[in-house]
Amino acid sequence: MLRSGKEALNWSITLLLCGLVLGLIPFLGWLLAGLLYCIHVICCIFGAINARKGWLYRFPFALRLIA
């Protein structure tokens, strides 16, 4: 369970950084940030389902900042 928490935290930090960068770019960046949010919700649902089963879910493009 601890590894799932670290993976989720790494994912959230990655999306926070991407969202901040995309938020600075008018129009196209805002659209991409909205798409990124939708991807975030879907991946979090998959992660929650796998954590419930006791499996580790590796998020697709998370920076591994916390080991």
Side-chain angles (χ1 to χ4, degrees):
M1 182 84 84
L2 184 60
R3 290 182 62 200
S4 295
K6 287 180 184 179
E7 186 71 18
L9 184 59
N10 283 330
W11 171 252
S12 295
I13 291 171
T14 301
L15 288 193
L16 175 68
L17 294 174
C18 290
L20 288 173
V21 170
L22 289 174
L24 298 174
I25 303 169
F27 305 116
L28 181 62
W30 300 336
L31 290 174
L32 290 175
L35 178 65
L36 193 65
Y37 176 74
C38 293
I39 291 170
H40 174 67
V41 170
I42 291 168
C43 287
C44 283
I45 290 171
F46 285 142
I49 290 169
N50 285 338
R52 174 80 173 132
K53 292 178 183 178
W55 301 340
L56 177 64
Y57 179 72
R58 300 282 294 192
F59 289 95
F61 54 90
L63 298 174
R64 309 289 184 244
L65 300 173
I66 299 173

